[in-house]
Amino acid sequence: MKWVVATHNLDKLQEILPLFDNFAVQLLSLDAFPEIGPIEETGTTLEENALIKARMVHSVTGLPTLADDTGLEVDVLGGEPGVRSARFSGPDATYADNVALLLERLGDHPPEARTARFRTVAAYVDGSLEQVTEGVVHGSITRSPHGSGGFGYDSVFRPEGHKDTFAQMSSANKQLISHRARAFGALVERLTLTLSSLHQKEAST
Ligand code: IMP
């Protein structure tokens, strides 16, 4: 049984794949489907974008598809960059460009005014079933980047109750509390209850 994860992003894949260890499925990324070009994220919410990606890839491949969309919501910026997190500083923005713009926008705001959260919406689409779940982690934006792990805004996001940014944590420790792990953990729980036990290892061994 093959499923697709609707992304080319290796950073995301590395976080998503282990969460499906208990499913007797082989997860393929979009690299296995070169005929699928860039998918335009035209939605105005994370949920719309996650479903756009999952439905589109399912319609082309015919395979059950997982997708996610993530936003960093900074309170003092009115929830920005939010759904525009990937393109915050322009259409071809790099992670470093986006981090630089975020720090510039936050300027000298003190720690208590730098609160933020990562929100991930995870989606599953297989033609007869659609499931959507959400995962959130609260924290704050540091004054400068710290750490070299992770990706995206990890070097400036310090989760609540922790002294390290996500980029200073091991990937295993990020995985314990991250927005993406929470969203996909909830999706796994939902799918475990909903899908035929044929997809699950325990039932097939
Ligand atoms: P996407 O639309 O789900 O690919 O995520 C939008 C942007 O949010 C990405 O380009 C990254 O900059 C950022 N992002 C997503 N997930 C994470 C994360 O786990 N840590 C840090 N930044 C992230």
Side-chain angles (χ1 to χ4, degrees), residues 65-182:
T65 301
L66 299 163
D68 80 337
D69 203 45
T70 295
L72 175 64
E73 302 168 351
V74 181
D75 292 319
V76 77
L77 301 181
E80 285 264 286
V83 75
R84 297 193 314 114
S85 292
R87 306 171 297 278
F88 189 35
S89 73
D92 298 318
T94 64
Y95 290 153
D97 295 335
N98 287 335
V99 165
L101 180 63
L102 178 64
L103 292 180
E104 186 189 314
R105 290 274 173 88
L106 282 177
D108 284 337
H109 280 292
E112 63 276 15
R114 302 174 80 91
T115 50
R117 73 203 56 76
F118 270 120
R119 188 185 303 280
T120 291
V121 172
Y124 169 89
V125 169
D126 72 7
S128 50
L129 178 71
E130 289 194 351
Q131 293 286 329
V132 172
T133 54
E134 184 179 277
V136 176
V137 59
H138 295 273
S140 61
I141 305 300
T142 54
R143 279 177 181 271
S144 57
H146 298 279
S148 54
F151 68 102
Y153 299 91
D154 276 347
S155 63
V156 292
F157 185 83
R158 181 182 288 131
E160 206 171 76
H162 294 263
K163 65 176 177 38
D164 290 335
T165 65
F166 268 156
Q168 290 172 296
M169 293 181 177
S170 65
S171 49
N173 281 348
K174 178 184 175 189
Q175 192 82 335
L176 287 176
I177 55 170
S178 90
H179 45 102
R180 182 167 297 98
R182 285 175 177 166

